Amino acid sequence: MGDDKTGRVQGPASYFPSIEKKYGRPIDEWQALIRASDLTKHMELVNWLKTEYGMGHGHANALVAYTLAGGTGATDAGA
């Protein structure tokens, strides 16, 4: 989930710039919402983001995967 040899971000974090642009919130804010949710299972959280915020599946999946893996925002992703 780090950078490749060219410095490009890989894995779920590679979606972060487009998530921020499309949905108008910083990654830290999305992660805070995910962590504050009473939901704990990956697909429950993905479906919640899709239903409540109109997020696409790929973007929701990337955010949830990164957050549950312990990622801490865009600075962790090299963005």
Side-chain angles (χ1 to χ4, degrees):
M1 283 194 232
D3 296 343
D4 68 10
K5 293 179 184 191
T6 65
R8 291 180 302 202
V9 175
Q10 296 182 313
S14 66
Y15 287 92
F16 290 179
S18 60
I19 291 170
E20 290 179 331
K21 183 177 180 180
K22 183 166 185 167
Y23 304 104
R25 293 181 190 226
I27 297 305
D28 290 338
E29 194 172 318
W30 287 115
Q31 289 187 300
L33 287 169
I34 291 167
R35 290 185 183 115
S37 171
D38 291 334
L39 303 173
T40 57
K41 294 183 179 179
H42 181 96
M43 285 309 298
E44 289 176 339
L45 288 160
V46 168
N47 288 329
W48 173 69
L49 288 172
K50 290 166 62 174
T51 302
E52 293 297 316
Y53 298 98
M55 192 170 281
H57 182 82
H59 287 163
N61 188 58
L63 272 173
V64 171
Y66 191 80
T67 302
L68 294 182
T72 55
T75 55
D76 231 19

